[in-house]
Amino acid sequence: MGNGLEIENFQPSSLSQNQFESLKTYRSDLHVHTVLSPCGDIEMIPPLIVEAAIEKGIQLIAITDHNASANIWAVQKAAEGTGLSVLPGMELQTAEDIHCLCLFDTLEQIEMLQHDVDTNLPALENRPDFFGEQFVVDPTGDFIRREHRLLLTSTRLTLKQAFQRVLELGGLFIPAHINRQAFGLMPTLGLIPPDIDLEAVEISRHMKISDAQKKYPQITNIPTIQSGDVHYLEDFLGTTYFKIAHPTIAELRMALKNQNGRMVLIQEQ
């Protein structure tokens, strides 16, 4: 993929100068947890998340807690007026133990997915001493309530069911850290399901995209992003750059398809 910064100097011949200048480069990390995820650090509260992302030079993030969405509004509120765009998301765990990023434009969309997840989430109590606390907080990071259900567990939704539901709701479905032994698509299933037309996959911070394509040739023709899987403030990565007009799902989808001058590049570390 090369250096993500090269995107600044590339103008597709099909675009006019005005069209090209209307596009912006967004340094992105689309996999960010808060204190609602039991594995998230206690410092993963809205104002510190926003501050850390901006310090890293990131302009676009997605909040993707495990099977949960209650802290998204608080991070969006904390980011108001800062120039940081915050997409609603979720890291959904399927029945096959596969983690998948589900990204949307609106809180209404993610709330509808949350209803489906709640319906299909086992009635297990969280054990904070073992899994970690699960806090819902306000935009300043102040405590609102604990989430007592265990979030770090598989739902009854299969990979295909989750994929279809996210698309029905107008979202973007991206299997997360597909190279990871735990909860990664490739080690878990060993293949890309032929009946699921994936729009993108995510690789972890620990693998270069060139190495991922060599190890998993099945993903060579699937658009790929890389994320920090941010559980601690220092985890922000920002190696994925989108050239888009606005931070919306429609624009990200065009970038992944390399359409209308939109594009995505990964800056290899």
Side-chain angles (χ1 to χ4, degrees):
M1 280 294 206
N3 190 316
L5 298 179
E6 293 171 2
I7 198 170
E8 297 287 1
N9 303 315
F10 181 77
Q11 178 176 347
S13 58
S14 61
L15 290 185
S16 69
Q17 183 67 26
N18 287 340
Q19 287 174 318
F20 180 72
E21 289 176 353
S22 70
L23 302 181
K24 300 177 183 178
T25 300
Y26 288 83
R27 189 177 189 186
S28 308
D29 201 317
L30 300 181
H31 191 163
V32 181
H33 294 270
T34 76
V35 289
L36 183 52
S37 292
C39 45
D41 186 64
I42 194 65
E43 291 190 330
M44 294 302 293
I45 59 174
L48 296 185
I49 289 171
V50 172
E51 180 182 348
I54 292 171
E55 287 181 354
K56 188 72 175 183
I58 291 172
Q59 295 90 27
L60 174 62
I61 65 172
I63 298 301
T64 54
D65 283 311
H66 290 288
N67 292 325
S69 56
N71 278 347
I72 296 169
W73 74 276
V75 182
Q76 289 182 328
K77 190 70 176 177
E80 286 182 358
T82 67
L84 177 68
S85 296
V86 181
L87 290 177
M90 178 188 295
E91 186 171 17
L92 187 154
Q93 187 167 324
T94 73
E96 301 92 343
D97 284 342
I98 296 171
H99 284 181
C100 300
L101 303 179
C102 308
L103 309 179
F104 297 93
D105 287 309
T106 69
L107 292 176
E108 289 74 19
Q109 289 169 306
I110 196 73
E111 286 168 2
M112 286 188 280
L113 180 65
Q114 185 69 67
H115 173 76
D116 295 336
V117 169
D118 289 343
T119 301
N120 288 280
L121 195 66
L124 301 174
E125 189 83 5
N126 183 37
R127 290 173 48 198
D129 59 327
F130 185 81
F131 295 105
E133 289 281 10
Q134 302 174 155
F135 294 130
V136 177
V137 296
D138 72 10
T140 69
D142 284 345
F143 174 85
I144 294 178
R145 64 177 175 85
R146 281 183 172 85
E147 174 56 66
H148 294 289
R149 300 172 306 167
L150 176 62
L151 297 174
L152 194 58
T153 188
S154 290
T155 68
R156 289 184 288 271
L157 294 168
T158 66
L159 184 69
K160 187 173 182 179
Q161 288 172 332
F163 167 77
Q164 291 174 333
R165 184 55 175 153
V166 170
L167 262 61
E168 286 173 1
L169 293 172
L172 189 59
F173 183 88
I174 305 175
H177 42 65
I178 62 162
N179 54 296
R180 257 185 46 182
Q181 287 298 317
F183 309 113
L185 175 66
M186 298 310 296
T188 301
L189 291 188
L191 52 78
I192 302 292
D195 58 343
I196 299 178
D197 189 16
L198 293 175
E199 296 181 272
V201 294
E202 179 203 58
I203 57 172
S204 76
R205 65 189 304 130
H206 305 294
M207 179 173 277
K208 293 181 178 180
I209 186 170
S210 54
D211 293 337
Q213 290 174 340
K214 289 177 183 176
K215 186 171 183 178
Y216 308 113
Q218 304 98 315
I219 73 168
T220 301
N221 296 319
I222 301 177
T224 303
I225 66 169
Q226 185 177 45
S227 307
D229 192 4
V230 183
H231 288 80
Y232 295 83
L233 296 175
E234 59 268 26
D235 287 345
F236 278 100
L237 193 61
T239 55
T240 298
Y241 292 76
F242 287 95
K243 191 75 170 182
I244 51 180
H246 308 285
T248 65
I249 296 302
E251 289 283 326
L252 294 182
R253 183 168 276 125
M254 281 193 286
L256 292 168
K257 294 179 179 179
N258 202 27
Q259 293 178 337
N260 300 324
R262 280 73 169 168
M263 65 194 79
V264 57
L265 292 175
I266 294 178
Q267 181 183 17
E268 293 209 338
Q269 302 178 80

